[in-house]
mmCIF file of all heavy atoms in Angstrom:
data_model
loop_
_atom_site.group_PDB
_atom_site.id
_atom_site.type_symbol
_atom_site.label_atom_id
_atom_site.label_comp_id
_atom_site.label_asym_id
_atom_site.label_seq_id
_atom_site.Cartn_x
_atom_site.Cartn_y
_atom_site.Cartn_z
ATOM 1 N N ALA A 20 131.046 59.754 117.651
ATOM 2 C CA ALA A 20 130.142 58.625 117.920
ATOM 3 C C ALA A 20 128.887 59.104 118.632
ATOM 4 O O ALA A 20 128.942 60.060 119.382
ATOM 5 C CB ALA A 20 130.861 57.589 118.760
ATOM 6 N N PRO A 21 127.745 58.400 118.429
ATOM 7 C CA PRO A 21 126.423 58.973 118.627
ATOM 8 C C PRO A 21 126.194 59.744 119.921
ATOM 9 O O PRO A 21 125.734 59.216 120.907
ATOM 10 C CB PRO A 21 125.499 57.766 118.589
ATOM 11 C CG PRO A 21 126.265 56.676 118.000
ATOM 12 C CD PRO A 21 127.702 56.981 118.164
ATOM 13 N N ASN A 22 126.580 60.988 119.887
ATOM 14 C CA ASN A 22 126.136 61.969 120.855
ATOM 15 C C ASN A 22 125.189 62.931 120.150
ATOM 16 O O ASN A 22 124.264 63.455 120.745
ATOM 17 C CB ASN A 22 127.329 62.746 121.436
ATOM 18 C CG ASN A 22 128.219 61.859 122.271
ATOM 19 O OD1 ASN A 22 127.741 61.044 123.042
ATOM 20 N ND2 ASN A 22 129.525 61.982 122.093
ATOM 21 N N ASP A 23 125.431 63.172 118.877
ATOM 22 C CA ASP A 23 124.656 64.119 118.093
ATOM 23 C C ASP A 23 123.979 63.541 116.854
ATOM 24 O O ASP A 23 122.858 63.908 116.567
ATOM 25 C CB ASP A 23 125.556 65.295 117.648
ATOM 26 C CG ASP A 23 126.172 66.016 118.828
ATOM 27 O OD1 ASP A 23 125.422 66.393 119.739
ATOM 28 O OD2 ASP A 23 127.392 66.184 118.840
ATOM 29 N N PRO A 24 124.639 62.651 116.074
ATOM 30 C CA PRO A 24 124.111 62.344 114.742
ATOM 31 C C PRO A 24 122.954 61.362 114.743
ATOM 32 O O PRO A 24 123.012 60.299 114.121
ATOM 33 C CB PRO A 24 125.324 61.743 114.035
ATOM 34 C CG PRO A 24 126.040 61.023 115.115
ATOM 35 C CD PRO A 24 125.867 61.878 116.344
ATOM 36 N N GLN A 25 121.892 61.711 115.445
ATOM 37 C CA GLN A 25 120.745 60.823 115.499
ATOM 38 C C GLN A 25 119.545 61.479 114.829
ATOM 39 O O GLN A 25 119.362 62.692 114.912
ATOM 40 C CB GLN A 25 120.403 60.473 116.946
ATOM 41 C CG GLN A 25 121.530 59.763 117.680
ATOM 42 C CD GLN A 25 121.150 59.424 119.116
ATOM 43 O OE1 GLN A 25 120.097 58.868 119.362
ATOM 44 N NE2 GLN A 25 122.014 59.752 120.047
ATOM 45 N N PHE A 26 118.759 60.667 114.127
ATOM 46 C CA PHE A 26 117.459 61.145 113.676
ATOM 47 C C PHE A 26 116.420 60.111 114.082
ATOM 48 O O PHE A 26 116.757 58.972 114.414
ATOM 49 C CB PHE A 26 117.439 61.449 112.173
ATOM 50 C CG PHE A 26 117.501 60.246 111.273
ATOM 51 C CD1 PHE A 26 116.343 59.697 110.726
ATOM 52 C CD2 PHE A 26 118.726 59.675 110.934
ATOM 53 C CE1 PHE A 26 116.407 58.601 109.872
ATOM 54 C CE2 PHE A 26 118.793 58.581 110.079
ATOM 55 C CZ PHE A 26 117.624 58.041 109.553
ATOM 56 N N PHE A 27 115.182 60.525 114.079
ATOM 57 C CA PHE A 27 114.131 59.730 114.707
ATOM 58 C C PHE A 27 112.974 59.502 113.736
ATOM 59 O O PHE A 27 112.721 60.318 112.845
ATOM 60 C CB PHE A 27 113.630 60.422 115.972
ATOM 61 C CG PHE A 27 114.728 60.797 116.927
ATOM 62 C CD1 PHE A 27 115.308 62.058 116.889
ATOM 63 C CD2 PHE A 27 115.215 59.865 117.831
ATOM 64 C CE1 PHE A 27 116.344 62.389 117.751
ATOM 65 C CE2 PHE A 27 116.254 60.186 118.693
ATOM 66 C CZ PHE A 27 116.820 61.456 118.650
ATOM 67 N N GLY A 28 112.282 58.400 113.935
ATOM 68 C CA GLY A 28 111.136 58.087 113.101
ATOM 69 C C GLY A 28 110.024 57.450 113.901
ATOM 70 O O GLY A 28 110.250 56.895 114.984
ATOM 71 N N GLN A 29 108.818 57.538 113.372
ATOM 72 C CA GLN A 29 107.643 56.964 114.027
ATOM 73 C C GLN A 29 106.819 56.208 112.997
ATOM 74 O O GLN A 29 106.627 56.666 111.880
ATOM 75 C CB GLN A 29 106.803 58.070 114.659
ATOM 76 C CG GLN A 29 105.497 57.598 115.285
ATOM 77 C CD GLN A 29 104.768 58.714 116.001
ATOM 78 O OE1 GLN A 29 105.360 59.478 116.764
ATOM 79 N NE2 GLN A 29 103.466 58.819 115.750
ATOM 80 N N LEU A 30 106.343 55.040 113.388
ATOM 81 C CA LEU A 30 105.537 54.196 112.500
ATOM 82 C C LEU A 30 104.305 53.746 113.263
ATOM 83 O O LEU A 30 104.412 53.088 114.299
ATOM 84 C CB LEU A 30 106.359 52.991 112.045
ATOM 85 C CG LEU A 30 105.685 51.988 111.111
ATOM 86 C CD1 LEU A 30 105.318 52.652 109.786
ATOM 87 C CD2 LEU A 30 106.591 50.787 110.867
ATOM 88 N N ASP A 31 103.126 54.106 112.742
ATOM 89 C CA ASP A 31 101.867 53.673 113.345
ATOM 90 C C ASP A 31 101.341 52.460 112.589
ATOM 91 O O ASP A 31 101.214 52.483 111.356
ATOM 92 C CB ASP A 31 100.834 54.805 113.300
ATOM 93 C CG ASP A 31 101.209 55.958 114.207
ATOM 94 O OD1 ASP A 31 101.685 55.703 115.325
ATOM 95 O OD2 ASP A 31 101.036 57.127 113.798
ATOM 96 N N LEU A 32 101.046 51.403 113.331
ATOM 97 C CA LEU A 32 100.615 50.143 112.732
ATOM 98 C C LEU A 32 99.249 49.734 113.268
ATOM 99 O O LEU A 32 98.965 49.907 114.461
ATOM 100 C CB LEU A 32 101.610 49.025 113.060
ATOM 101 C CG LEU A 32 103.045 49.190 112.564
ATOM 102 C CD1 LEU A 32 103.910 48.100 113.184
ATOM 103 C CD2 LEU A 32 103.108 49.139 111.048
ATOM 104 N N ASP A 33 98.432 49.160 112.391
ATOM 105 C CA ASP A 33 97.226 48.470 112.838
ATOM 106 C C ASP A 33 97.689 47.127 113.415
ATOM 107 O O ASP A 33 98.276 46.305 112.706
ATOM 108 C CB ASP A 33 96.277 48.261 111.660
ATOM 109 C CG ASP A 33 94.925 47.715 112.090
ATOM 110 O OD1 ASP A 33 94.886 46.839 112.986
ATOM 111 O OD2 ASP A 33 93.906 48.130 111.518
ATOM 112 N N ALA A 34 97.422 46.910 114.694
ATOM 113 C CA ALA A 34 97.981 45.751 115.396
ATOM 114 C C ALA A 34 97.073 44.534 115.391
ATOM 115 O O ALA A 34 97.406 43.524 116.030
ATOM 116 C CB ALA A 34 98.309 46.134 116.844
ATOM 117 N N GLU A 35 95.957 44.573 114.672
ATOM 118 C CA GLU A 35 95.006 43.470 114.742
ATOM 119 C C GLU A 35 95.638 42.150 114.302
ATOM 120 O O GLU A 35 95.472 41.116 114.952
ATOM 121 C CB GLU A 35 93.788 43.781 113.873
ATOM 122 C CG GLU A 35 92.725 42.669 113.877
ATOM 123 C CD GLU A 35 92.187 42.371 115.277
ATOM 124 O OE1 GLU A 35 91.990 43.337 116.047
ATOM 125 O OE2 GLU A 35 91.974 41.180 115.591
ATOM 126 N N ALA A 36 96.375 42.160 113.196
ATOM 127 C CA ALA A 36 96.985 40.922 112.701
ATOM 128 C C ALA A 36 98.027 40.394 113.681
ATOM 129 O O ALA A 36 98.135 39.180 113.895
ATOM 130 C CB ALA A 36 97.620 41.159 111.329
ATOM 131 N N LEU A 37 98.787 41.287 114.295
ATOM 132 C CA LEU A 37 99.784 40.880 115.282
ATOM 133 C C LEU A 37 99.119 40.264 116.505
ATOM 134 O O LEU A 37 99.551 39.227 117.025
ATOM 135 C CB LEU A 37 100.644 42.079 115.695
ATOM 136 C CG LEU A 37 101.617 42.619 114.653
ATOM 137 C CD1 LEU A 37 102.154 43.982 115.087
ATOM 138 C CD2 LEU A 37 102.770 41.657 114.413
ATOM 139 N N LEU A 38 98.058 40.912 116.992
ATOM 140 C CA LEU A 38 97.357 40.406 118.174
ATOM 141 C C LEU A 38 96.735 39.038 117.901
ATOM 142 O O LEU A 38 96.824 38.127 118.731
ATOM 143 C CB LEU A 38 96.279 41.406 118.603
ATOM 144 C CG LEU A 38 96.774 42.749 119.157
ATOM 145 C CD1 LEU A 38 95.608 43.719 119.310
ATOM 146 C CD2 LEU A 38 97.495 42.567 120.485
ATOM 147 N N GLU A 39 96.106 38.894 116.751
ATOM 148 C CA GLU A 39 95.469 37.628 116.400
ATOM 149 C C GLU A 39 96.509 36.527 116.251
ATOM 150 O O GLU A 39 96.305 35.395 116.704
ATOM 151 C CB GLU A 39 94.665 37.789 115.107
ATOM 152 C CG GLU A 39 93.973 36.520 114.636
ATOM 153 C CD GLU A 39 92.971 35.989 115.652
ATOM 154 O OE1 GLU A 39 92.375 36.800 116.393
ATOM 155 O OE2 GLU A 39 92.800 34.750 115.708
#
Side-chain angles (χ1 to χ4, degrees):
N22 293 318
D23 301 309
Q25 299 180 49
F26 71 97
F27 308 93
Q29 176 175 314
L30 180 63
D31 292 319
L32 299 171
D33 188 320
E35 180 59 39
L37 290 167
L38 292 170
E39 179 61 31

